[in-house]
Amino acid sequence: MDGSEQARVARALALGVLHDAALGGRVVVRAHDGDGARDALGELAARTPDSVTIDTRRGPVRVALADVVAAKRVPPPPAARPR
């Protein structure tokens, strides 16, 4: 399997994760952004046929599905440590 085929498989798996993830579930999504990539980590807030919205710590981030490179479900953040 060459690199481009691996990328296609990873993208297909990522889109499947985003399709199946429950709204409110925690995910991380990597997407193309110009010459590089960006990650969005947070709760899946919305899903349309063309995009997903991730509610991150810095606010909502809309990610076009056409730009998705990878995605996976992630566990909840650890509890805050007492001081």
Side-chain angles (χ1 to χ4, degrees):
M1 186 180 302
D2 68 6
S4 63
E5 188 174 346
Q6 287 177 343
R8 283 192 299 272
V9 170
R11 179 173 154 64
L13 290 172
L15 293 176
V17 165
L18 293 174
H19 179 268
D20 295 342
L23 291 179
R26 195 158 188 249
V27 296
V28 61
V29 179
R30 175 162 287 177
H32 286 294
D33 185 22
D35 293 332
R38 65 180 173 150
D39 293 337
L41 169 65
E43 293 182 0
L44 180 60
R47 178 176 34 232
T48 70
D50 300 323
S51 69
V52 292
T53 301
I54 310 300
D55 191 12
T56 71
R57 293 172 84 186
R58 293 188 173 126
V61 174
R62 184 186 165 279
V63 180
L65 293 178
D67 296 338
V68 170
V69 176
K72 65 180 181 178
R73 292 185 189 113
V74 294
R81 293 184 189 178
R83 292 185 180 235

